[in-house]
């Protein structure tokens, strides 16, 4: 395998070595290739896989297309396979969702078209990638065969170096050239690698044994290899501070490869010492891998908890307590937020990843089913709402030209209040019914404003007339004929129309003056013979009389109860005279009020 031209992060540890100390590396350094591992298949120390869960289907297909379009596409086969599986999973999910919605609408299952529009593109990308992969493997087989012949030639050179070397040959220079050639030689097939590697190290060992006869050369070799070991140990120490743990682990593999292929042998006194130091550093780096895995597992667990909370909230949104249109509109927005949050979260533990995703998809389906059921049922209530609004429109249109302001103004205000209380109507009718209702209301209030503006001048004259009547009322005394004058003033007052809004206080002032004159002349207000009263004024007067009758009846009952406490409650008792006089007065007043109420009701 090439050393100078290769990336240390992509190289593999070569586990095929017969020395005792290097065998112990396999026992202490995890994630090493097996004895049959071929150099043609680089193996990285995999700590954390790339997370594709946030990729949409289109993004996944785009990534696959980028790989397919590269010249070295087969080198990224593992990533392509994971993207392919993710895309297939997304297509299946989207097809199931569409089928679920299709069946919910009452369609027969046999008519459902299960073909996904992106399935053809996925199939085409997979087909192209396989063709490139097949071509790559054929090229690789040819290269492996050429590399095999090259390595066999190197082994033959090594063999000749200790068996047939001529006098004067610089063994130190020759072995360096052979080792460099071996390191630069290309990859070979897995089936050839084990025997080839064993053969090379066998002849290297035989060469080293031959060197026992040349102590000076052997010492130079030991010193050179020791220096290499020290460089390797120093670099391993630096990896302890490497922030990217996976990078440190990958480079550690490369350092072990260098140790086995280029740092052997060393003097006996340094062999165990240097190996133990290197092994201890290796173990510390691998301890960092365990820490990283623990952190990743913790993050996966946190992601799982967050995703489960999202699933629980989706279930809650699917079963609301108060169901209405506004709720579902807000819930739809919230579900979209939760869906986005779910997809943004990272991976969860692999053993429950599929179940977590299934639960999420099911919770979305349950929400959509509940929402669809609500709007199906809502259509029935919307028809009823439409009928109620049409009835309001009919009433508004029937009264929009009326000028009976005292009755119709409150009516239109109530119509508007009732309109707000009625729920939604079918969307196809919503604009029409609103336009019809608004037009009727606008017609009435426009007419009302125009009439009020036209009568503004009359109202000013009305105020002048009422002002004169008020002054005339204030001037009255309790002389003979005053009651008739009061009745005449009151009837004239009732005959006068409205006054400007800023002059309405004159009505309060008149009522106050009227009560004072009635009291002065000892007459009840309801005994007045009033004329020119409107229907609403008569209704108001009848209401007031009824209230006073109720109060008088209660007072009479109370007085009679008071009399019952005496043993001889007769009129001759001087103590009861005032009580009987008050009782007679209230009964007389009660009869008078009943006559007045009768007259109002009878229209007399």
């Amino acid at each position: 395998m090439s050393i100078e031209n290769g990336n240390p992060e992509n190289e593999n540890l070569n586990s095929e070595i017969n020395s005792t100390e290097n065998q112990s590396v396999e026992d202490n350094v995890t994630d090493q290739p097996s004895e049959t591992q071929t150099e043609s298949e680089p193996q990285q120390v995999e700590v954390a896989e790339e997370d594709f869960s946030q990729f949409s289907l289109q993004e996944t297909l785009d990534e696959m297309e980028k790989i397919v379009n590269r010249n070295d596409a087969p080198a990224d086969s593992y990533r392509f396979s994971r993207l392919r599986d993710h895309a297939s999973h997304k297509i299946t999910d989207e097809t199931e969702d569409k089928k679920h919605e299709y069946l919910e609408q009452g369609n027969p299952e046999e008519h459902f078209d299960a073909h996904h529009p992106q399935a053809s593109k996925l199939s085409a990308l997979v087909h192209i990638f396989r063709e490139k992969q097949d071509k790559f493997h054929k090229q690789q087989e040819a290269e492996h065969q050429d590399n095999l012949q090259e390595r066999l030639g190197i082994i033959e050179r090594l063999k000749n170096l200790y068996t047939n070397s001529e006098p004067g040959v610089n063994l130190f220079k020759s072995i360096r050239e052979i080792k460099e050639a071996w390191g630069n030689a290309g990859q070979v097939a897995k089936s050839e690698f084990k025997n080839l590697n064993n053969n090379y190290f066998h002849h290297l060992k035989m060469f080293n044994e031959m060197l026992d006869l040349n102590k000076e050369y052997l010492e130079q070799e030991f010193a050179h290899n020791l220096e290499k070991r020290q460089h390797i140990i120093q670099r391993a120490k630096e990896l302890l501070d490497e922030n990217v743990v996976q990078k440190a682990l990958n480079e550690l593999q490369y350092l072990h490869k260098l140790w086995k292929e280029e740092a052997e042998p060393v003097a006996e006194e340094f062999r165990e010492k240097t190996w133990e130091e290197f092994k201890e550093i290796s173990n510390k780096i691998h301890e960092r891998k365990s820490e990283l895995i623990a952190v990743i597992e913790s993050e996966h667990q946190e992601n799982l908890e967050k995703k489960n909370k999202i699933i629980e909230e989706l279930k809650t949104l699917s079963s609301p307590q108060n169901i209405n249109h506004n709720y579902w509109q807000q819930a739809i927005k919230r579900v979209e937020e939760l869906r986005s949050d779910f997809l943004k979260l990272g991976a969860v533990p692999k053993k429950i990843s599929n179940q977590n995703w299934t639960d999420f998809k099911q919770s979305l389906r349950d929400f959509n089913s509940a929402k669809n059921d609500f709007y199906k049922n809502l259509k029935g209530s919307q028809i009823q709402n439409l009928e109620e609004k049409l009835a309001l429109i009919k009433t508004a249109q029937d009264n929009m030209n009326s000028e009976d302001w005292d009755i119709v103004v409150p009516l239109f205000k109530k119509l508007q209040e009732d309109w707000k209380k009625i729920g939604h109507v079918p969307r196809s009718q919503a604009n029409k019914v609103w336009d019809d209702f608004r037009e009727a209301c606008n017609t009435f209030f426009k007419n009302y404003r125009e009439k009020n503006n036209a009568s503004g001048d009359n109202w000013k004259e009305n105020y002048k007339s009422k002002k004169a009547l008020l002054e005339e009322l204030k001037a009255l005394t309790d002389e003979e004929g005053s009651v008739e004058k009061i009745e005449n003033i009151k009837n004239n007052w009732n005959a006068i129309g409205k006054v400007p809004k800023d002059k309405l206080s004159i009505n309060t002032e008149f009522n106050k003056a009227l009560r004072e004159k009635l009291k002065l002349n000892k007459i009840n207000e309801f005994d007045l013979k009033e004329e020119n009263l409107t229907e609403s004024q008569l209704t108001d007067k009848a209401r007031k009389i009824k209230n006073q009758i109720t109060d008088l009846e209660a007072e009479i009952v109370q007085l009679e109860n008071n009399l019952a406490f005496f043993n001889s409650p007769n009129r001759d008792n001087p103590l009861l005279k005032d009580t009987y006089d008050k009782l007679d007065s209230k009964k007389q007043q009660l009869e008078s009020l009943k006559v007045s109420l009768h007259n109002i009701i009878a229209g007399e």
Side-chain angles (χ1 to χ4, degrees):
M1 179 177 293
S2 172
I3 298 174
E4 287 79 8
N5 299 328
N7 182 350
E9 294 186 20
N10 294 325
E11 296 292 348
N12 293 307
L13 289 176
N14 186 343
S15 62
E16 188 53 48
I17 189 82
N18 291 330
S19 69
T20 304
E21 65 181 49
N22 281 285
Q23 182 61 39
S24 62
V25 174
E26 297 181 3
D27 298 333
N28 291 277
V29 181
T30 59
D31 291 330
Q32 296 197 59
S34 65
E35 291 186 353
T36 58
Q37 175 69 41
T38 173
E39 290 187 290
S40 64
E41 298 180 4
Q43 179 183 359
Q44 294 187 8
V45 178
E46 184 178 337
V47 176
E49 292 183 344
E50 187 176 359
D51 183 16
F52 300 122
S53 60
Q54 299 181 32
F55 280 29
S56 66
L57 176 58
Q58 188 59 51
E59 290 172 337
T60 305
L61 293 174
D62 290 344
E63 286 297 314
M64 293 174 68
E65 190 170 358
K66 289 178 183 178
I67 294 175
V68 167
N69 290 333
R70 293 207 313 261
N71 293 329
D72 61 341
D76 215 357
S77 60
Y78 178 70
R79 188 168 186 268
F80 184 87
S81 297
R82 293 190 64 235
L83 287 168
R84 177 201 61 203
D85 293 343
H86 181 67
S88 178
H89 186 65
K90 294 287 285 186
I91 288 175
T92 300
D93 281 341
E94 291 180 8
T95 303
E96 288 180 355
D97 288 345
K98 290 182 179 179
K99 182 177 181 180
H100 181 75
E101 294 176 2
Y102 182 82
L103 296 179
E104 269 201 340
Q105 296 171 0
N107 300 311
E109 183 176 0
E110 58 270 15
H111 292 167
F112 176 71
D113 182 10
H115 178 71
H116 193 284
Q118 296 283 32
S120 298
K121 183 173 182 178
L122 174 62
S123 178
L125 289 172
V126 171
H127 178 72
I128 295 172
F129 183 83
R130 285 177 178 170
E131 287 184 345
K132 284 196 170 187
Q133 199 171 35
D134 291 342
K135 182 178 179 181
F136 169 77
H137 286 317
K138 290 179 181 178
Q139 292 175 347
Q140 194 178 51
E141 288 175 3
E143 290 175 0
H144 286 175
Q145 188 62 34
D146 292 341
N147 295 336
L148 174 62
Q149 296 304 318
E150 181 182 357
R151 286 184 179 269
L152 288 173
I154 294 172
I155 292 174
E156 191 62 27
R157 286 171 56 192
L158 176 59
K159 179 179 177 182
N160 291 332
L161 188 61
Y162 70 87
T163 58
N164 299 318
S165 59
E166 299 178 358
V169 173
N170 189 331
L171 297 177
F172 187 83
K173 179 181 178 182
S174 298
I175 194 64
R176 288 284 173 269
E177 291 174 351
I178 289 174
K179 285 187 175 182
E180 183 178 356
W182 184 264
N184 290 334
Q187 302 167 354
V188 299
K190 180 190 293 186
S191 59
E192 302 287 348
F193 180 72
K194 180 179 178 181
N195 290 334
L196 188 70
N197 207 44
N198 285 343
N199 196 10
Y200 171 76
F201 280 103
H202 166 73
H203 289 294
L204 186 62
K205 179 181 177 184
M206 296 299 293
F207 174 79
N208 288 333
E209 290 179 356
M210 181 271 290
L211 289 180
D212 287 340
L213 303 177
N214 190 336
K215 184 176 182 181
E216 181 181 353
Y217 171 78
L218 191 59
E219 288 176 353
Q220 291 179 356
E221 180 72 3
F222 283 171
H224 179 77
N225 291 342
L226 178 61
E227 184 179 354
K228 278 201 170 184
R229 285 196 175 194
Q230 289 170 343
H231 282 303
I232 291 172
I233 290 171
Q234 181 58 36
R235 179 53 187 156
K237 288 180 180 179
E238 294 173 2
L239 292 179
L240 290 171
D241 298 324
E242 171 61 52
N243 292 329
V244 182
V245 178
Q246 185 169 350
K247 180 179 179 181
L249 291 166
N250 291 338
E251 188 165 346
L252 179 63
Q253 286 184 312
Y254 174 67
L255 293 178
H256 274 273
K257 175 182 181 296
L258 291 180
W259 187 282
K260 291 180 236 183
E261 293 186 357
E262 299 190 13
E264 288 287 347
V266 296
E268 184 69 28
E269 59 185 297
F270 298 110
R271 185 173 303 170
E272 193 66 25
K273 178 182 177 182
T274 54
W275 168 245
E276 288 298 329
E277 184 178 3
F278 183 46
K279 183 174 68 173
E280 183 180 355
I281 296 171
S282 299
N283 290 338
K284 288 181 179 179
I285 294 174
H286 278 279
E287 287 175 4
R288 293 188 63 201
K289 174 188 174 183
S290 301
E291 294 173 3
L292 180 61
I293 291 176
V295 170
I296 292 174
E297 289 177 350
S298 176
E299 291 176 353
H300 286 182
Q301 189 62 36
E302 289 180 7
N303 292 339
L304 177 62
E305 292 174 1
K306 291 177 182 179
K307 287 188 173 183
N308 283 339
K309 286 182 180 179
I310 290 175
I311 292 171
E312 289 303 317
E313 186 171 351
L314 287 172
K315 291 180 180 179
T316 302
L317 291 172
S318 301
S319 305
Q321 298 296 324
N322 299 319
I323 302 178
N324 54 50
H325 171 71
N326 289 334
Y327 168 82
W328 285 109
Q329 292 305 304
Q330 294 298 323
I332 291 171
K333 295 179 181 178
R334 180 57 181 158
V335 166
E336 186 56 34
E337 292 173 359
L338 293 173
R339 179 181 176 278
S340 177
D341 292 344
F342 188 96
L343 297 178
K344 288 178 183 177
L345 289 171
V348 301
K350 281 188 176 181
K351 60 182 179 181
I352 54 176
S353 176
N354 289 338
Q355 184 60 47
N356 182 254
W357 177 253
T358 300
D359 292 344
F360 173 65
K361 296 296 292 183
Q362 186 60 48
S363 63
L364 287 178
R365 293 192 186 103
D366 291 343
F367 174 82
N368 288 328
S369 295
K371 177 199 66 178
N372 293 339
D373 289 343
F374 167 77
Y375 282 106
K376 287 178 183 176
N377 296 331
L378 186 62
K379 290 181 180 178
S381 62
Q382 287 180 344
I383 297 300
Q384 182 179 351
N385 293 339
L386 177 62
E387 293 176 354
E388 293 179 8
K389 286 192 173 183
L390 289 174
L392 295 182
I393 292 171
K394 180 69 166 56
T395 302
Q397 291 173 339
D398 290 344
N399 293 276
M400 64 184 182
N401 295 317
S402 173
E403 295 183 4
D404 192 355
W405 311 126
D406 291 337
I407 295 175
V408 186
V409 170
L411 171 64
F412 268 85
K413 290 181 178 180
K414 187 174 187 307
L415 289 175
Q416 291 175 328
E417 291 174 359
D418 291 345
W419 184 277
K420 294 177 182 178
K421 295 176 183 178
I422 300 174
H424 293 275
V425 300
R427 184 175 297 179
S428 60
Q429 298 291 322
N431 291 335
K432 183 179 185 307
V433 294
W434 168 244
D435 290 341
D436 291 346
F437 181 70
R438 182 175 58 181
E439 182 180 358
C441 291
N442 289 344
T443 299
F444 169 75
F445 283 109
K446 180 181 178 181
N447 184 40
Y448 176 67
R449 286 192 297 270
E450 289 176 351
K451 295 293 182 180
N452 283 342
N453 291 336
S455 61
D457 294 337
N458 294 333
W459 288 2
K460 293 177 182 178
E461 293 299 323
N462 293 342
Y463 175 73
K464 292 179 181 179
S465 300
K466 284 191 173 184
K467 185 69 174 176
L469 288 175
L470 176 60
E471 296 301 325
E472 184 180 349
L473 178 63
K474 288 181 177 180
L476 289 177
T477 62
D478 59 347
E479 62 185 12
E480 186 177 351
S482 294
V483 175
E484 288 78 4
K485 291 180 180 180
I486 292 173
E487 287 180 343
N488 186 47
I489 291 173
K490 186 70 166 66
N491 289 329
N492 289 335
W493 181 277
N494 293 337
I496 299 174
K498 294 181 179 181
V499 298
K501 288 185 178 180
D502 59 341
K503 304 296 184 182
L504 287 175
S505 59
I506 195 172
N507 293 323
T508 303
E509 190 176 354
F510 178 82
N511 290 330
K512 180 180 178 182
L514 179 62
R515 287 192 295 270
E516 291 176 352
K517 297 305 176 180
L518 291 174
K519 184 177 180 181
L520 179 64
N521 288 274
K522 298 179 181 179
I523 183 173
N524 191 296
E525 179 182 359
F526 300 116
D527 291 334
L528 287 176
K529 296 178 181 179
E530 294 187 79
E531 300 175 357
N532 302 321
L533 292 176
T534 65
E535 184 176 350
S536 61
Q537 289 174 327
L538 285 171
T539 301
D540 185 57
K541 184 175 181 179
R543 178 182 59 78
K544 291 180 179 178
I545 292 175
K546 286 181 180 180
N547 291 339
Q548 192 161 354
I549 288 174
T550 301
D551 293 340
L552 283 172
E553 288 175 341
E555 291 176 8
I556 290 171
V557 171
Q558 183 63 45
L559 290 172
E560 289 177 343
N561 288 339
N562 292 342
L563 291 172
F565 285 105
F566 293 89
N567 293 329
S568 299
N570 53 55
R571 290 181 176 273
D572 297 333
N573 190 334
L575 297 176
L576 301 180
K577 184 177 182 304
D578 290 340
T579 302
Y580 275 109
D581 291 344
K582 188 182 294 186
L583 184 61
D584 291 340
S585 175
K586 290 189 178 296
K587 287 183 177 180
Q588 184 180 357
Q589 188 180 357
L590 177 62
E591 290 302 320
S592 176
L593 289 173
K594 287 182 177 181
V595 172
S596 298
L597 180 61
H598 174 74
N599 291 337
I600 291 174
I601 295 174
E604 297 178 358

